[in-house]
Amino acid sequence: QFVSLRQRILSAVQKNATRGDPRSVIRAIDQFCSQKEWAMNVGNEKGCILDSVVSEVNPATVLELGTYCGYSTVRIASLLPPYAKFITLEFNPDFAAVARQVIAWAGLEDKVQLVEGASSDWIPKIKEQFGIKTFDLVFLDHWKEHYLSDTKLMEECGLLRKGSVLLADNVICPGAPDYVEYVRSSPRYKSHYFRSHLEYTKAEENLWYLGIIE
Ligand SMILES: O=C(NCCCCc1cc2ccncc2s1)c1cc(-c2ccc(F)cc2)cc(O)c1O
Ligand SMILES: [Mg+2]
């Protein structure tokens, strides 16, 4: 019968990755997506940039918007200090179900809280639900047309502080032009981009780095 792409990604992890070894989980997904079928994981090229930003920020609190199969969730969680609080939001319950199993296979289920639902519903509830004051790092990889509205919502909810870092995937492809325009023209942000390519392709892409300065 029909097996969904996300199920095939999970099977590739369970077949080719070692339980409790996050790097082998990442490698298994990248091999599957570059050799068998494209999928919208952040991928290894942008993933290495993500790793370097996580390592540099060394965040105590992290929010990921858009879990998908948990590929970037595993990359981030494997680099966090033991006391860190990491929340990842996923809207699609089928993606969330696969991501939970991928995160568990990597042995990182205790480092991440996967929350199902829409970012616009959850962002206003994070402070009281999870006892988090502000986020040191936010990785935006969900609906591209919600990057701007959700960034403004996080500001309004007091979830961002001076020094918070926002890292956004896909600002070129599929693109988040209103977000880029807003953050580039705002005095509150120091922004720059990392040149890269769309996952598993040669298409031009950037990761957009944002530092909150006020
Ligand atoms: O749409 C993308 N990613 C978001 C999926 C939306 C899932 C959501 C999560 C969530 C959580 C909380 N609230 C609301 C939401 S909505 C995406 C698409 C491409 C792409 C690139 C070229 C193509 F030809 C075709 C697709 C590449 C990427 O790296 C992506 O990230
Ligand atoms: Mg993406």
Side-chain angles (χ1 to χ4, degrees), residues 82-168:
Y83 52 79
K85 276 192 167 182
F86 180 13
I87 294 171
T88 183
L89 291 185
E90 179 48 57
F91 175 72
N92 179 313
D94 298 324
F95 292 164
V98 163
R100 288 190 201 286
Q101 295 173 80
V102 167
I103 293 161
W105 197 269
L108 295 167
E109 64 279 9
D110 298 338
K111 311 269 295 188
V112 193
Q113 274 194 276
L114 196 163
V115 179
E116 289 182 42
S119 49
S120 47
D121 296 338
W122 270 102
I123 286 171
K125 296 190 286 192
I126 282 175
K127 273 187 188 271
E128 93 245 24
Q129 294 277 334
F130 302 101
I132 283 177
K133 288 186 181 49
T134 56
F135 284 107
D136 300 329
L137 174 67
V138 180
F139 180 51
L140 294 92
D141 193 20
H142 65 324
W143 283 321
K144 309 313 160 195
E145 59 278 9
H146 283 221
Y147 281 19
L148 181 52
S149 53
D150 282 345
T151 297
K152 288 179 175 175
L153 186 57
M154 285 187 283
E155 287 178 356
E156 285 153 25
C157 296
L159 286 168
L160 303 178
R161 58 163 174 79
K162 190 171 176 313
S164 294
V165 170
L166 280 72
L167 189 66

Side-chain angles (χ1 to χ4, degrees), residues 3-186:
V3 180
S4 64
L5 173 57
R6 58 186 176 268
Q7 279 298 330
R8 286 200 291 277
I9 290 173
L10 176 59
S11 303
V13 166
Q14 293 168 334
K15 179 164 167 277
N16 304 315
T18 309
R19 267 190 177 284
D21 175 359
R23 299 312 305 172
S24 73
V25 168
I26 296 304
R27 193 167 45 250
I29 296 174
D30 282 332
Q31 278 171 356
F32 177 83
C33 293
S34 38
Q35 291 160 14
K36 300 279 187 338
E37 288 182 76
W38 188 90
M40 61 180 172
N41 315 113
V42 77
N44 196 49
E45 188 182 17
K46 289 188 284 179
C48 288
I49 298 168
L50 172 63
D51 292 353
S52 61
V53 171
V54 175
S55 303
E56 189 183 314
V57 175
N58 195 34
T61 52
V62 186
L63 175 63
E64 176 179 59
L65 299 176
T67 314
Y68 188 40
C69 293
Y71 175 92
S72 50
T73 319
V74 166
R75 288 197 86 117
I76 295 169
S78 64
L79 295 172
L80 294 180
Y83 52 79
K85 276 192 167 182
F86 180 13
I87 294 171
T88 183
L89 291 185
E90 179 48 57
F91 175 72
N92 179 313
D94 298 324
F95 292 164
V98 163
R100 288 190 201 286
Q101 295 173 80
V102 167
I103 293 161
W105 197 269
L108 295 167
E109 64 279 9
D110 298 338
K111 311 269 295 188
V112 193
Q113 274 194 276
L114 196 163
V115 179
E116 289 182 42
S119 49
S120 47
D121 296 338
W122 270 102
I123 286 171
K125 296 190 286 192
I126 282 175
K127 273 187 188 271
E128 93 245 24
Q129 294 277 334
F130 302 101
I132 283 177
K133 288 186 181 49
T134 56
F135 284 107
D136 300 329
L137 174 67
V138 180
F139 180 51
L140 294 92
D141 193 20
H142 65 324
W143 283 321
K144 309 313 160 195
E145 59 278 9
H146 283 221
Y147 281 19
L148 181 52
S149 53
D150 282 345
T151 297
K152 288 179 175 175
L153 186 57
M154 285 187 283
E155 287 178 356
E156 285 153 25
C157 296
L159 286 168
L160 303 178
R161 58 163 174 79
K162 190 171 176 313
S164 294
V165 170
L166 280 72
L167 189 66
D169 190 23
N170 311 113
V171 292
I172 290 188
C173 176
D178 58 343
Y179 175 75
V180 171
E181 182 47 43
Y182 172 80
V183 297
R184 285 188 84 159
S185 53
S186 163

